[in-house]
Amino acid sequence: MTIDKKVDVIILSWDRAEDTKKAIISAVEQQNIDLNVYIVDQGSKIECVQDIETLVNVYPNVHLQKNITNTGVPEGRNQASELGNGDYIVSLDNDAEFLTPFELEKVVKAYDTRPKTAVIAFNIKRFGTESNDESSWSYGLSSVDWSNRDFFTTRFVGAGHAIRRSAFEQVNGYDNSLFFLHEEVDLSRRFINLGYEIEYLHNIGVGHKVSAEHRVAWNAGRWTYHARNKTYLSLKLKSPMLSVVFHSFLLQIDGLKKGMPIDTLKATYAGFKMYQKNKFYFNLAECAFNPDSEEYYRKYTPGADGSIPTRILRRIKGIIK
């Protein structure tokens, strides 16, 4: 029996044709779901695009959009999401596969009993094993103790998750200007500020191959994106100016430790410039804490219940250790 809610699976592809095809097949094989799959290719080699396109043409509910260049993760996900109209948008990394043919059925059933949930974060395993993918665990909790429990959280991981389309459209999706890194943190904050919840459900999972190909090392562009986007988001999401200055200072210390002090300064400056360019966000309610969202963060952020001096000391220790 097919569930009446529609699901759109979105996959961004950038080379890795074989992995991408397996991700597509994993999505197509989901059972009891009214399903469409949308792939946005981010400028792959022509032979990779042709290989993927051959598979796409086999399935009437699988669609391929081809970009000339890599437009970035947030813009690619926005583009893929706009191609569909399903009630729920499920994002799957192109080096991941669903653990069973019934993961999306579980997603829909979970949403049916959770009207305030914007995002369902999946249990991400290392592909072919029962081990947690530690690179996709960013909840500030022990994965050993918590990966097999359900819990509310303030963030989700990009490798596998579901988003309620109505909530996604309410905040106009991801912020394209981020390009890479922290796009999920930004979207999470904006959802929570509007009264939505984010929940990790341990019984909905994907296997992640954690491929090294096309990943950006900290000693390359990744650190620059990290420092730039952290600075930009601290301003966009209306952190107090003292907090912005403090965290900018910590970024400089961390950049110095990593041997990239000049890159860090340039990235911090770029973050301030990004905010000036996108200042329209400042007047949006979704970018500002309110009493309810502040309480949500206090309740579901590990360590957030400590005093301000305790939290400052913890942050400093985390940088200098």
Side-chain angles (χ1 to χ4, degrees):
M1 177 180 173
T2 301
I3 296 174
D4 60 354
K5 297 289 176 62
K6 295 181 179 180
V7 177
D8 293 330
V9 174
I10 63 170
I11 300 171
L12 303 186
S13 63
W14 188 23
D15 296 330
R16 296 196 303 218
E18 288 304 313
D19 283 344
T20 301
K21 289 192 295 181
K22 289 175 182 177
I24 293 168
I25 292 169
S26 170
V28 170
E29 290 179 344
Q30 291 295 295
Q31 300 295 305
N32 305 329
I33 291 294
D34 187 348
L35 173 73
N36 278 283
V37 181
Y38 298 96
I39 302 100
V40 169
D41 184 79
Q42 298 277 54
S44 297
K45 300 181 186 73
I46 189 167
E47 60 269 23
C48 292
V49 177
Q50 292 171 341
D51 199 9
I52 292 167
E53 194 166 24
T54 298
L55 176 67
V56 167
N57 290 336
V58 173
Y59 302 102
N61 63 333
V62 180
H63 317 274
L64 175 64
Q65 181 78 41
K66 294 176 280 189
N67 291 341
I68 297 174
T69 60
N70 187 347
T71 61
V73 175
E75 186 167 348
R77 287 183 186 160
N78 283 339
Q79 184 180 357
S81 300
E82 289 167 4
L83 295 172
N85 61 3
D87 300 277
Y88 309 116
I89 303 162
V90 173
S91 183
L92 182 69
D93 267 10
N94 72 332
D95 57 353
E97 298 178 32
F98 293 107
L99 292 182
T100 76
F102 303 100
E103 303 305 309
L104 297 187
E105 181 181 23
K106 289 185 280 186
V107 166
V108 174
K109 288 180 176 178
Y111 272 123
D112 282 346
T113 59
R114 292 168 170 82
K116 293 178 64 179
T117 297
V119 182
I120 293 175
F122 297 170
N123 189 344
I124 314 297
K125 299 295 187 184
R126 290 186 68 87
F127 185 79
T129 77
E130 293 296 318
S131 302
N132 297 317
D133 173 14
E134 297 295 338
S135 70
S136 297
W137 184 266
S138 62
Y139 302 106
L141 301 162
S142 165
S143 65
V144 174
D145 296 333
W146 285 88
S147 63
N148 289 321
R149 308 187 202 179
D150 297 343
F151 56 87
F152 290 103
T153 179
T154 59
R155 59 181 59 209
F156 62 97
V157 176
H161 61 270
I163 299 177
R164 187 186 299 273
R165 180 178 288 278
S166 58
F168 188 74
E169 292 178 347
Q170 188 177 349
V171 299
N172 293 310
Y174 288 98
D175 182 343
N176 289 343
S177 63
L178 290 167
F179 190 82
F180 173 67
L181 283 180
H182 306 312
E183 60 273 359
E184 295 94 359
V185 172
D186 170 59
L187 192 62
S188 298
R189 175 76 73 87
R190 291 189 283 130
F191 281 144
I192 292 166
N193 285 339
L194 292 181
Y196 291 105
E197 297 170 339
I198 300 170
E199 191 169 0
Y200 170 90
L201 296 184
H202 79 280
N203 68 325
I204 303 174
V206 302
H208 192 206
K209 296 167 189 174
V210 201
S211 172
E213 184 185 357
H214 281 336
R215 298 204 181 275
V216 186
W218 280 114
N219 60 356
R222 185 183 179 101
W223 175 256
T224 298
Y225 286 122
H226 166 74
R228 184 198 69 172
N229 291 353
K230 289 278 282 188
T231 303
Y232 166 63
L233 290 178
S234 69
L235 294 162
K236 171 186 172 180
L237 300 174
K238 302 185 182 181
S239 297
M241 189 49 63
L242 280 176
S243 177
V244 173
V245 172
F246 173 66
H247 285 94
S248 294
F249 171 72
L250 291 184
L251 266 178
Q252 308 317 306
I253 300 299
D254 207 7
L256 186 63
K257 282 183 58 184
K258 288 179 167 61
M260 294 179 283
I262 303 303
D263 290 335
T264 307
L265 278 171
K266 288 180 178 178
T268 303
Y269 176 72
F272 278 93
K273 292 286 286 183
M274 276 176 66
Y275 172 67
Q276 290 297 321
K277 182 179 179 181
N278 297 331
K279 213 168 182 178
F280 64 89
Y281 276 113
F282 193 79
N283 295 318
L284 300 180
E286 68 197 51
C287 292
F289 270 136
N290 57 64
D292 289 338
S293 60
E294 285 182 342
E295 176 58 27
Y296 183 98
Y297 267 83
R298 277 194 295 268
K299 190 173 182 180
Y300 299 121
T301 302
D305 53 346
S307 66
I308 291 177
T310 299
R311 282 181 279 153
I312 289 174
L313 187 59
R314 187 186 299 125
R315 289 283 292 125
I316 293 173
K317 285 181 176 178
I319 294 294
I320 65 177
K321 68 180 180 180

